[in-house]
Amino acid sequence: MYDVIVVGARCAGAPSAMLFARAGYRVLLVDRVRFPKDTLSTHYIHQPGVARLARWGVLDAVVATGCPPIDRLSYEYGDLRLEGCSLPVEGFRAGYAPRRFLLDQVLADAAVAAGAEFRPGCGVEDVVLDADGRVVGVRCGGSEERARLVVGADGMRSGIAARVGAGMVREDPTLTCAYYSYWQDTPAHFELYEAAGRWVGAIPTNDGLTLVGAYFPQAEFDRVRGDAQTAYLETIRTTAPDLYERVRSGLQVERLYGTGEQRNFFREAAGPGWALVGDSSHHKDSITARGMMDAFLQAELLVDAVGQDLHDEAKLTRALRRYDDDREDQLIDGYRSTLTVAALATPAEHISMLRAIAGRQDLVDGYFATLSGARDVEDFYTEELLEQLSIG
């Protein structure tokens, strides 16, 4: 009998298992794949996520993978260019963009070091219910394992969510499709380029490689995937000409990866004997690269809400309800702003605001802090600021 079973050992599941184990619980962590294993990702961990890794004592191991610190961000829209960096969070101003086959291994290792039992290559066939319909365990790898709490951290298409009947709280249309690859000898900082209906990003990662990605409207997915490599390079050429020249001088070292399934939703996050974290609970377009940071947040919210009350049914029920509410409260603003960016049609008044702050480094860094989650949007877009810039 375990206290907690966590299904999925990546950016939401491994931290959940680690934190529950550190709280003194007996934890089983399972994943259907064996690590190291890559997965689709933007790679970037914004400053609030970096601060959490540091608080958990995991940041040094992430840095040791060789991913460089990223403390320079630029954004271009036509002739408009902003350059700076997000404000720091708990003293950390740099972000990091580790390859996922490295990051996920670090997080799983941290869970094991905290005392969690890890079974890779162990797919979950079903959940186990008691006579009252409460989740009391899982069937995986040919055996049945019992626990007071089963945590689904098995991604956007979560099998745990489907088996417990977690309903959608909010769901919005898919807005973009995205493609990316890795380039050698293509120097870059964290670079973002926007044009009507297009978005291009570049970010340095491990082994001296640069991830270069391109976003298209979802309506173009069928056309784009017909010849994704050509569409990808043409979008870089027309949206980010300077980056394109560096790409042309470099070498593409891996195939082109892509997806047209950038779903936007909140699911019910908890119920009798179960909880969801990470993409299982909440997913949004990857264009703002907030997924991993938000997965860390959800893991911490869940473990903090449960506290030492796992074996008190009434208290656990209240804790899970509180987690569900707090998760949406803390993620809804980032969700809304992501949908705005993913529409690939930046409002003219927003561009006017960016032009107005372009000469003020403090305001540029403050704006970048809203993108990273280091600063609340309402704390930046004050009436005084809008009045000062004559755009209110």
Side-chain angles (χ1 to χ4, degrees), residues 82 355-366 385 388-389:
L82 303 179
R355 291 189 186 281
I357 70 171
R360 290 275 304 275
Q361 194 61 53
D362 59 331
L363 296 180
V364 170
D365 291 346
L385 172 63
Q388 177 185 348
L389 299 175

Side-chain angles (χ1 to χ4, degrees), residues 82-381:
L82 303 179
E83 186 167 334
C85 186
S86 169
L87 301 176
V89 175
E90 298 175 23
F92 295 95
R93 195 166 197 191
Y96 292 88
R99 292 290 298 264
R100 287 298 300 274
F101 66 85
L102 296 169
L103 173 65
D104 294 344
Q105 185 70 66
V106 166
L107 296 175
D109 288 346
V112 172
E117 178 186 338
F118 181 33
R119 295 186 197 171
C122 184
V124 170
E125 294 100 33
D126 206 349
V127 297
V128 180
L129 305 177
D130 67 10
D132 297 322
R134 186 186 191 280
V135 175
V136 294
V138 300
R139 282 192 284 274
C140 63
S143 65
E144 183 174 292
E145 303 293 353
R146 297 286 184 120
R148 286 288 299 163
L149 181 65
V150 172
V151 178
D154 51 339
M156 180 179 66
R157 293 176 290 276
S158 171
I160 297 299
R163 292 180 178 99
V164 301
M168 289 294 181
V169 175
R170 171 171 178 165
E171 190 169 17
D172 290 279
T174 301
L175 296 172
T176 78
C177 56
Y179 288 86
Y180 69 88
S181 190
Y182 302 93
W183 295 82
Q184 193 176 67
D185 300 322
T186 306
H189 51 280
F190 188 7
E191 304 175 28
L192 301 173
Y193 302 86
E194 186 177 7
R198 295 291 183 269
W199 183 277
V200 169
I203 195 162
T205 184
N206 297 86
D207 301 319
L209 300 181
T210 296
L211 181 152
V212 180
Y215 286 76
F216 309 81
Q218 174 66 21
E220 298 183 21
F221 181 48
D222 286 342
R223 178 190 66 79
V224 169
R225 67 178 173 175
D227 187 355
Q229 182 76 14
T230 297
Y232 166 76
L233 291 173
E234 179 63 12
T235 293
I236 299 169
R237 185 187 70 81
T238 57
T239 308
D242 178 67
L243 175 62
Y244 180 71
E245 292 305 316
R246 281 175 276 153
V247 164
R248 286 186 61 197
S249 299
L251 175 67
Q252 185 175 351
V253 296
E254 294 190 26
R255 70 176 181 86
L256 192 65
Y257 301 91
T259 180
E261 195 177 9
Q262 301 242 72
R263 297 173 61 191
N264 301 298
F265 65 77
F266 282 89
R267 282 192 181 106
E268 292 177 285
W274 60 271
L276 302 176
V277 292
D279 289 350
S280 303
S281 153
H282 160 61
H283 190 275
K284 55 186 171 293
D285 197 291
S286 65
I287 198 166
T288 53
R290 296 174 71 105
M292 290 189 289
M293 174 180 71
D294 289 348
F296 298 165
L297 168 65
Q298 291 176 68
E300 198 168 73
L301 283 176
L302 176 61
V303 177
D304 286 350
V306 171
Q308 296 301 309
D309 296 331
L310 184 66
H311 295 282
D312 185 312
E313 188 65 31
K315 288 183 178 179
L316 177 60
T317 298
R318 290 194 294 271
L320 293 178
R321 189 178 303 121
R322 184 167 61 252
Y323 161 66
D324 197 351
D325 292 341
D326 289 348
R327 167 209 64 144
E328 188 166 358
D329 287 346
Q330 295 208 31
L331 295 176
I332 189 63
D333 286 346
Y335 179 78
R336 289 172 177 150
S337 63
T338 295
L339 295 187
T340 298
V341 176
L344 299 178
T346 301
E349 59 270 21
H350 184 76
I351 296 299
S352 296
M353 184 277 294
L354 295 181
R355 291 189 186 281
I357 70 171
R360 290 275 304 275
Q361 194 61 53
D362 59 331
L363 296 180
V364 170
D365 291 346
Y367 170 70
F368 285 156
T370 69
L371 304 183
S372 74
R375 186 175 186 181
D376 290 337
V377 173
E378 58 267 26
D379 291 340
F380 178 74
Y381 292 103

Side-chain angles (χ1 to χ4, degrees), residues 382-392:
T382 62
E383 290 184 12
E384 291 78 11
L385 172 63
L386 299 177
E387 206 171 293
Q388 177 185 348
L389 299 175
S390 301
I391 60 173

